[in-house]
């Protein structure tokens, strides 16, 4: 019997067992998010006269698609562990804000005027949302302290669509992280 095999597991992923100590898991998930009641209602919220909000009854559900891969490996002899994860997500009909800034006083409903310079914010379905995320950790023993040390690296990129005065734009956000975790259970009464 080969030590390499694929296994399709319920939940939308494939498990590829490389050895007793290492495996690769690849998966795909799709989900939907319906708009909230407040996003659908056309009632105007004018509690802040400079930033009015109104719903959009024509909103459609947001469809999300996520693909991910995870690799893990342990070495019992050296007491080390390695884990890596990469995931990507995109959305169809992403629910974002569409902002209109009035260049002059503008009547938007009976008895409600959007003052010059004020904004009307309305949810809209926009395509173009993307997210890419990665994470790596490596753990090894620190014998002198009878402890374990884990080193973590992470990166995240998000592209989020928006609309201002009818023009589509994207907010791009990138973040990176580095972490060190020292942990131990020195005795039954002490750990950190």
């Amino acid at each position: 019997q080969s030590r390499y095999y694929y296994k399709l597991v319920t939940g939308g992923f494939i498990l590829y067992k490389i050895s007793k100590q290492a495996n690769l898991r690849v998966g795909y998930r799709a989900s939907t998010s319906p708009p909230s009641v407040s996003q659908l209602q056309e009632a105007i919220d004018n509690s802040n006269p400079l930033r009015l909000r109104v719903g959009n009854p024509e909103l459609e559900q947001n469809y999300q698609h996520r693909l991910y891969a995870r690799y893990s490996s342990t070495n019992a002899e050296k007491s080390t562990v390695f884990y890596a994860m990469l995931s990507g997500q995109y959305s169809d009909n992403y629910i974002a804000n569409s902002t209109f800034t009035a260049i002059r006083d503008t009547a938007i409903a009976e008895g409600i005027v959007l003052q010059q310079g004020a904004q009307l914010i309305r949810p809209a379905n926009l395509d173009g949302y993307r997210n890419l995320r990665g994470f790596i950790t490596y753990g090894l023993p620190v014998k002198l302290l009878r402890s374990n040390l884990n080193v973590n690296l992470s990166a995240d990129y998000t592209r989020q669509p928006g609309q201002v005065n009818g023009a589509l734009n994207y907010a791009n956000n990138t973040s990176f992280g580095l972490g060190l975790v020292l942990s131990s259970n020195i005795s039954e009464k002490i750990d950190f």
Side-chain angles (χ1 to χ4, degrees):
Q1 180 181 358
S2 171
R3 63 185 186 137
Y4 303 98
Y5 67 90
Y6 293 96
K7 183 178 180 185
L8 181 58
V9 183
T10 4
F13 65 88
I14 295 173
L15 178 63
Y16 176 42
K17 193 155 186 175
I18 300 166
S19 69
K20 289 182 179 179
Q21 294 84 23
N23 67 64
L24 175 66
R25 181 179 296 207
V26 178
Y28 166 78
R29 288 206 173 147
S31 61
T32 62
S33 300
S36 67
V37 173
S38 62
Q39 290 174 323
L40 292 169
Q41 289 180 335
E42 285 189 287
I44 296 174
D45 175 2
N46 61 355
S47 55
N48 180 350
L50 297 178
R51 279 182 74 102
L52 279 67
R53 293 187 174 271
V54 65
N56 179 355
E58 297 176 10
L59 283 177
E60 296 180 19
Q61 289 190 72
N62 172 18
Y63 293 94
Q64 301 155 353
H65 307 273
R66 182 172 176 251
L67 181 65
Y68 64 92
R70 298 176 188 163
Y71 172 79
S72 64
S73 172
T74 57
N75 185 325
E77 293 174 7
K78 296 181 180 179
S79 299
T80 61
V81 63
F82 176 78
Y83 174 84
M85 183 274 299
L86 181 64
S87 71
Q89 177 180 323
Y90 77 92
S91 293
D92 295 321
N93 294 326
Y94 181 77
I95 299 174
N97 284 333
S98 177
T99 304
F100 168 73
T101 303
I103 56 173
R104 60 181 165 275
D105 289 359
T106 306
I108 56 171
E110 190 174 322
I112 299 179
V113 175
L114 187 64
Q115 300 172 5
Q116 180 181 356
Q119 294 179 330
L120 177 65
I121 300 166
R122 185 176 196 225
N125 289 117
L126 302 174
D127 290 332
Y129 175 89
R130 306 283 185 268
N131 176 263
L132 187 61
R133 178 174 298 167
F135 178 79
I136 295 174
T137 186
Y138 180 72
L140 69 157
V142 181
K143 293 179 182 177
L144 180 67
L145 301 174
R146 293 185 3 201
S147 305
N148 293 316
L149 176 66
N150 284 328
V151 180
N152 306 317
L153 296 170
S154 63
D156 187 86
Y157 167 75
T158 302
R159 176 180 134 174
Q160 190 171 8
Q163 199 170 39
V164 177
N165 291 340
L168 184 63
N169 59 68
Y170 297 96
N172 296 296
N173 185 24
T174 305
S175 63
F176 300 96
L178 170 65
L180 296 173
V181 179
L182 185 66
S183 61
S184 179
N185 53 349
I186 293 173
S187 72
E188 291 180 6
K189 296 183 179 181
I190 299 173
D191 63 9
F192 63 85

